Amino acid sequence: MINNDWYKITDPKDIITPALLVYPDRIEKNIGTMITMAGGTRNLRPHIKTHKTAEIIKLQLKRGIHKFKCATVAEAELLAKCGAEDILLAMQPVGANINRFFSLIAKYPNSTFSTIVDDQQIIEQIAKTADGKGIQVPLWLDINNGMNRTGIQPNAQAVELYKGIYKNPNLLAAGLHVYDGHIHNKDLSEREDKCNKDFEAILDLKRSLEEIDIRVPSIVAGGSPTFPIHLKREGVETSPGTTLLWDAGYAASYQEMNFIPAAVLLTRVISKPKSNLVCFDLGHKHLASEMTFPRVLLLEGEECTQIGQSEEHLVVQCPNDDMFKVGDVAYAIPVHICPTVAKYDEVLTVVDGSLTSSWKVVARNLKINI
């Protein structure tokens, strides 16, 4: 029997709102789904940017996942503190982050750290620092295959950059990194066609390198939307992240994936300023607001229309005044979970309707220790 009230807390009266609730049993189901889809853990390199918490990392470690991807030095440090073996910092280190990256390597010798690069000067700076420390650093060449955010286009210049990494005694050419976040077709067949077409240039680049006897050990590709496509490729590591908590946006767009929502916002009605208008305590400070409305899926009140949000308030228009009373609690699934999690110091865990614990969002800031 399906429990349609799986998200509800039996007694929420003492919980300060807004609060972000997570459901460990549902997170574990999503981890299992991710592993099943990938056919095991060998080619899985999940991203931790969505959750940024030690407990969720440890749930994955228990299931045999040992390779991870992250976006900040703080996230990389959190992974190392949890005992992750293989950590890819998927943000080219510049400025102070170059020395911080090397500090990670020195402080956590049981973890292997690598990072992405797309610029000759940064490659030279990393190589020079590695030489001074007498170590070898694994680097992935970041490739732009259509997102136009970071990376170098897969052309002759990319061949030369990768060749430079490969031949440098202080660097280890780990492979190619390709994030295709520009691919978000709702229809799986259309998404797959676009993904495969854009990936052809990556395979051509790999062949060009191998023709001059330069090995490309692996390719890290995609995020959650293209996860079902890249997992079919031999020698490609997939790096989904949103799959662990899921959200209303991905659930609506990628219905072929059997992940389930595992994070819910608890909010309260704080005012009813006008007929059929309801205001919740769910402003910009506690809910991602970079997209258009709707920004949450109200689990009781889907017929309401979200019309306004400010720093502390979310205003919705409902069909009648009786749907919500001032002081009522409501539950909502974020449309975009990743930046929503980063707005909270901690998430509250819920098991069988009871509040059981809290998990610190340790890497929500740019620095832990290093």
Side-chain angles (χ1 to χ4, degrees):
M1 182 177 179
I2 297 174
N3 177 15
N4 291 325
D5 293 333
W6 60 267
Y7 52 87
K8 286 189 175 180
I9 296 177
T10 305
D11 186 10
K13 70 177 185 299
D14 293 328
I15 299 177
I16 299 170
T17 57
L20 185 58
L21 315 175
V22 297
Y23 303 76
D25 57 334
R26 296 174 76 87
I27 294 172
E28 292 196 68
K29 285 180 182 177
N30 284 339
I31 294 171
T33 298
M34 186 173 65
I35 292 171
T36 299
M37 287 176 66
T41 62
R42 183 170 65 93
N43 288 327
L44 265 180
R45 187 184 285 275
H47 208 311
I48 75 157
K49 69 182 178 68
T50 299
H51 59 82
K52 305 175 188 289
T53 64
E55 288 82 359
I56 297 178
I57 293 168
K58 290 173 183 177
L59 288 176
Q60 293 176 89
L61 289 170
K62 274 196 212 176
R63 296 296 299 272
I65 297 172
H66 296 288
K67 293 183 288 190
F68 293 89
K69 181 173 163 178
C70 61
T72 67
V73 171
E75 291 173 6
E77 183 171 8
L78 174 60
L79 282 162
K81 287 165 74 72
C82 289
E85 296 174 8
D86 185 336
I87 302 166
L88 166 57
L89 175 63
M91 181 79 78
Q92 178 167 246
V94 296
N97 282 341
I98 293 178
N99 286 334
R100 293 178 73 208
F101 177 70
F102 278 95
S103 295
L104 283 173
I105 295 172
K107 185 170 182 177
Y108 299 99
N110 293 329
S111 297
T112 297
F113 294 92
S114 59
T115 191
I116 64 171
V117 290
D118 66 11
D119 181 82
Q120 180 62 38
Q121 286 186 319
I122 298 300
I123 294 170
E124 290 174 359
Q125 193 171 346
I126 291 173
K128 182 179 179 181
T129 305
D131 182 40
K133 295 180 180 296
I135 60 174
Q136 191 178 47
V137 176
L139 296 183
W140 303 76
L141 186 63
D142 188 26
I143 304 298
N144 172 18
N145 77 326
M147 177 114 187
N148 298 326
R149 185 176 71 178
T150 67
I152 183 171
Q153 293 185 350
N155 53 23
Q157 186 183 359
V159 171
E160 291 305 308
L161 275 185
Y162 193 86
K163 186 196 297 185
I165 296 169
Y166 185 83
K167 292 183 176 295
N168 193 299
N170 297 111
L171 304 176
L172 176 66
L176 306 175
H177 173 268
V178 189
Y179 179 63
D180 49 16
H182 62 291
I183 302 173
H184 40 71
N185 310 64
K186 291 186 178 182
D187 181 80
L188 177 58
S189 61
E190 292 178 4
R191 199 181 333 137
E192 187 164 19
D193 288 345
K194 173 66 173 170
C195 182
N196 288 338
K197 181 180 177 182
D198 288 1
F199 202 72
E200 286 174 8
I202 307 303
L203 297 176
D204 288 343
L205 174 60
K206 183 174 184 286
R207 281 190 287 268
S208 296
L209 289 163
E210 289 171 344
E211 284 170 2
I212 56 175
D213 296 323
I214 294 178
R215 184 170 171 262
V216 180
S218 187
I219 299 173
V220 174
S224 297
T226 53
F227 171 54
I229 303 160
H230 289 305
L231 60 78
K232 300 175 184 177
R233 308 186 199 279
E234 185 61 35
V236 172
E237 297 177 7
T238 55
S239 51
T242 307
T243 50
L244 298 174
L245 295 181
W246 214 226
D247 60 27
Y250 275 16
S253 295
Y254 311 120
Q255 296 181 19
E256 81 283 349
M257 287 191 264
N258 295 318
F259 297 103
I260 56 177
V264 174
L265 289 161
L266 180 70
T267 180
R268 280 188 174 88
V269 177
I270 55 172
S271 182
K272 295 174 67 175
K274 189 178 177 182
S275 176
N276 298 335
L277 286 187
V278 178
C279 181
F280 295 96
D281 57 357
L282 202 55
H284 300 149
K285 293 177 181 177
H286 298 99
L287 169 65
S289 55
E290 78 279 9
M291 75 292 288
T292 57
F293 293 120
R295 293 172 182 164
V296 289
L297 171 64
L298 284 168
L299 291 171
E300 295 158 324
E302 289 185 58
E303 60 270 50
C304 297
T305 302
Q306 295 162 44
I307 61 172
Q309 189 185 27
S310 53
E311 291 187 18
E312 312 289 353
H313 309 84
L314 175 69
V315 178
V316 305
Q317 189 167 35
C318 295
N320 62 72
D321 283 328
D322 297 327
M323 291 193 67
F324 296 102
K325 295 180 175 60
V326 173
D328 280 356
V329 296
Y331 299 83
I333 298 175
V335 168
H336 196 183
I337 186 63
C338 305
T340 297
V341 173
K343 294 176 181 290
Y344 292 84
D345 286 322
E346 64 179 12
V347 295
L348 307 180
T349 60
V350 180
V351 177
D352 295 330
S354 296
L355 198 64
T356 56
S357 184
S358 63
W359 293 348
K360 188 81 173 170
V361 186
V362 180
R364 70 182 293 256
N365 297 316
L366 290 177
K367 179 180 175 181
I368 299 175
N369 294 308
I370 290 175

